[in-house]
């Protein structure tokens, strides 16, 4: 079976969020589960941030290639579109020509297959940047015998990002005006790349069963696509993301000193040493008894910052020892709100603006609790990573948070609201005082199996099922 895996970001090459983790890790987990001699090729734009020398990219035809054993990643090149500092934009604003940048990407994914003689059984597309591929396959390439047996699977990692562009963008995509109708790519007088993916793909999936249900209900979750999804034959399947032990394992994490594992007799001492070290590094009072609450996240309203900004000062009044460490980048107004908290909380909250992978690893490893009160959360990797690293998640009951955090290893708000978050935080802080209970929670959390094994099996089954359907 040949699979073209298309996602606009992937570790280790470039990353802005969880999509990159999934796109980098899932193919590796999937390949051994596919029939013998199967091939998966990942396909990305060659952004300027991807260091061709470091990754030993080799030129092959029009693309650059990276070989990691059996798994290849190929990069489409375009000076005009990709030779800039950002992936999707800069300083909190999207690039205005993202319609052209990602139309080009989608076209070049299919043209790459033809040039390489790689006939895909499955093109697995992820998020709006790849939404035009299923549309191209069913329109511009519908009569192309090269793609006769190709099926497309579209995975929604976040339905809030839709790639909606003005009507005039349709011309730039190469699609004909007959596709500009409400049952195809038109969405409130815009061209929606996401909708193209949802409408034209053979199978639609998303990254947790709960989110699959949520996005078919109200506008809050479905963002206007709920009707489109409800009317799709077969609807939407939810397959939980996993996390990869090669990237996320406290026992051999190069960012940690000391490293630790659930098997260590001195696990708690080692973890404590890491916490004290981080407190020192970031300028918090060095005190093991002070509960340390971490956040590692994109700064986006999705992540519940309205509730966080109200809850933290309240908790600080009733629990003056609690320390907060936030690492994130994104919306300027959220950065400002956090900077205000830094001033108001005088030494109790530190905020690191930017993307910093090693610091992220240390926060997961050193914090006692991991705060993730999302308004909605397709899957969420942060809470899973936190649990594997012994940081107890405090989350809202939505999407993948609800599907992965259980009461024996975390705290779940009864609803999504500031009072509920405040109450749950108070409960977690009370539990933290009971050392024996806390250790039990930590051990349970660290023993969780969030590996890709189960999900990869589900994707492999889905690929086989989709490939077996006879093309019309
Ligand atoms: P989302 O995909 O919505 O951004 P997830 O929880 O699914 O959220 O995935 C976020 C991923 O990005 C995690 O691996 C997290 O550690 C990482 N991450 C987010 N923000 C930062 C940051 N500022 N620095 C380093 N890593 C980050």
């Amino acid at each position: 079976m040949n699979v073209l895996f298309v996602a606009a970001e992937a570790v280790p090459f470039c990353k802005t969020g969880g999509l990159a983790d999934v796109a980098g890790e899932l193919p590796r987990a999937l390949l051994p589960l596919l029939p013998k001699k199967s091939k998966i090729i990942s396909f990305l734009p060659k952004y300027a941030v991807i260091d061709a020398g470091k990754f030993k990219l080799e030129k092959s035809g029009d693309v650059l290639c990276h070989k990691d054993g059996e798994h290849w990643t190929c990069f489409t090149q375009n000076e005009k579109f990709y030779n800039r500092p950002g992936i999707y934009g800069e300083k909190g604003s999207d690039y205005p020509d993202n319609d052209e940048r990602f139309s080009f990407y989608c076209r070049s994914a299919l043209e790459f297959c033809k040039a390489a003689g790689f006939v895909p059984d499955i093109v697995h597309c992820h998020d709006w940047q790849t939404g035009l591929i299923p549309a191209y396959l069913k329109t511009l390439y519908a009569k192309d015998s090269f793609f006769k047996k190709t099926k497309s699977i579209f995975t929604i990692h976040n339905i809030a990002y839709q790639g909606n562009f003005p009507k005039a963008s349709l011309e730039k995509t190469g699609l004909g005006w007959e596709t500009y109708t409400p049952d195809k790519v038109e969405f409130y007088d815009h061209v929606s790349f996401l909708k193209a993916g949802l409408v034209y793909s053979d199978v639609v999936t998303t990254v947790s069963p709960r989110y699959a249900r949520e996005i078919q209900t109200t506008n809050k979750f479905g963002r206007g696509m709920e009707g489109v999804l409800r009317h799709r034959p077969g609807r939407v399947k939810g397959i939980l993301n996993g996390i990869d032990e090669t990237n996320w394992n406290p026992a051999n994490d190069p960012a940690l000193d000391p490293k630790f594992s659930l098997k260590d007799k001195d696990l708690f001492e080692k973890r404590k040493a890491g916490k004290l070290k981080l407190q020192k590094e970031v300028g918090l009072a060095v005190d093991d008894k002070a509960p340390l609450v971490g956040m590692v996240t994109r700064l986006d309203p999705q992540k519940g910052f309205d509730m966080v900004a109200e809850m933290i000062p309240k908790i600080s009044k009733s629990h003056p020892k609690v320390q907060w460490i936030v690492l994130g980048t994104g919306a300027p107004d959220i950065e400002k709100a956090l900077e205000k908290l830094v001033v108001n909380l005088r030494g109790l909250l530190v905020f690191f603006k930017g993307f910093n992978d090693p610091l992220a690893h240390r926060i997961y490893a050193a914090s006692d609790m991991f705060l993730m009160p999302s308004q909605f959360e397709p899957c969420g990797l942060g809470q899973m990573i936190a649990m594997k690293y012994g940081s107890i998640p405090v989350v809202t009951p939505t999407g993948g948070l609800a599907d992965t955090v259980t009461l024996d290893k975390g705290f779940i708000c009864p609803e999504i609201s500031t009072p509920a978050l405040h109450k749950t935080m108070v409960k977690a802080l009370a539990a933290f005082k009971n050392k024996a209970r806390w250790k039990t929670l930590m051990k349970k959390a660290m023993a969780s199996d969030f590996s890709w094994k189960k999900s990869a099996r589900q994707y492999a089954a889905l690929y086989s099922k989709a490939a077996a359907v006879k093309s019309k």
Side-chain angles (χ1 to χ4, degrees), residues 123-126 130-138 150-156 193-205 228-229 232-236 466:
V123 181
H124 191 169
C125 305
H126 300 264
T130 65
L132 293 181
I133 293 177
Y136 289 151
L137 282 170
K138 295 257 167 76
T150 302
K151 301 293 186 334
S152 59
I153 296 180
F154 187 81
T155 298
I156 307 164
F193 284 26
L194 175 81
K195 194 171 169 194
L198 299 182
V199 169
Y200 283 104
S201 57
D202 296 298
V203 179
V204 176
T205 75
V228 178
L229 294 172
R232 260 198 67 98
R235 298 227 176 152
V236 189

Side-chain angles (χ1 to χ4, degrees), residues 291-302:
L292 177 61
V293 186
M295 288 186 88
V296 177
T297 178
R298 288 183 298 112
L299 303 181
D300 185 286
Q302 172 196 342

Side-chain angles (χ1 to χ4, degrees), residues 15-19 21 158 248 296-298 302-303 327-329 354-357 360 364 372 377 380-382 385:
K15 166 167 168 175
T16 71
L19 172 63
D21 292 304
N158 194 335
W248 301 109
V296 177
T297 178
R298 288 183 298 112
Q302 172 196 342
K303 302 294 181 179
L327 166 65
T329 173
F355 196 91
N356 185 335
D357 198 48
Y364 289 117
M372 201 161 164
E377 193 56 71
L381 299 176
I385 301 168

Side-chain angles (χ1 to χ4, degrees), residues 226-458:
E226 53 279 6
V228 178
L229 294 172
R230 276 202 300 266
H231 289 108
R232 260 198 67 98
R235 298 227 176 152
V236 189
K237 189 177 169 60
I239 301 178
L240 264 180
N241 285 333
I243 50 174
D244 190 333
E245 290 232 323
T246 46
N247 291 331
W248 301 109
N249 179 1
N252 59 19
D253 187 327
L256 304 189
D257 179 25
K259 307 179 199 311
F260 56 87
S261 116
L262 188 55
K263 291 194 204 105
D264 291 340
K265 281 208 184 68
D266 54 352
L267 159 67
F268 298 106
E269 285 72 33
K270 281 185 171 158
R271 219 179 166 280
K272 175 176 158 185
K275 173 176 169 180
L276 301 181
K277 236 173 145 174
L278 184 72
Q279 285 172 321
K280 192 162 175 222
E281 174 190 333
V282 301
L284 289 166
V286 179
D287 178 1
D288 181 45
K289 291 214 173 64
L292 177 61
V293 186
M295 288 186 88
V296 177
T297 178
R298 288 183 298 112
L299 303 181
D300 185 286
Q302 172 196 342
K303 302 294 181 179
F305 282 99
D306 49 345
M307 297 186 282
V308 169
E310 274 189 68
M311 180 271 287
I312 290 184
K314 266 200 206 150
I315 292 282
S316 251
K317 274 213 182 101
S318 54
H319 300 71
K321 276 189 112 175
V322 181
Q323 301 177 341
W324 313 83
I325 177 164
V326 184
L327 166 65
T329 173
D333 56 326
I334 298 176
E335 289 181 358
K336 281 213 189 81
L338 284 165
E339 276 155 8
K340 211 168 122 193
L341 280 178
V342 172
V343 175
N344 292 347
L345 265 75
R346 272 176 267 151
L348 287 172
L349 185 143
V350 286
F351 166 42
F352 292 89
K353 192 161 78 177
F355 196 91
N356 185 335
D357 198 48
L359 180 59
H361 285 243
R362 288 202 291 280
I363 294 175
Y364 289 117
S367 55
D368 298 299
M369 292 165 213
F370 189 78
L371 184 59
M372 201 161 164
S374 306
Q375 291 288 353
F376 63 91
E377 193 56 71
C379 177
L381 299 176
Q383 83 283 9
M384 290 196 265
I385 301 168
M387 286 187 265
K388 289 304 284 182
Y389 279 62
S391 180
I392 301 304
V394 177
V395 303
T396 39
T398 183
L401 297 174
D403 283 344
T404 56
V405 179
T406 45
L407 291 173
D408 55 346
K409 45 187 157 182
F411 292 85
I412 310 162
C413 303
E415 59 174 34
I416 306 176
S417 72
T418 311
L421 177 61
H422 179 259
K423 221 165 104 185
T424 309
M425 198 68 224
V426 169
K427 220 165 122 182
L429 290 167
F432 179 73
K433 284 202 177 134
N434 179 339
K435 283 284 164 251
R437 168 151 186 232
W438 200 258
K439 284 181 180 172
T440 311
L441 273 172
M442 278 172 65
K443 282 188 172 167
K444 260 276 187 233
M446 289 181 73
S448 311
D449 180 4
F450 296 126
S451 69
W452 273 107
K453 239 178 273 156
K454 197 169 151 209
S455 329
R457 254 189 257 127
Q458 286 175 281

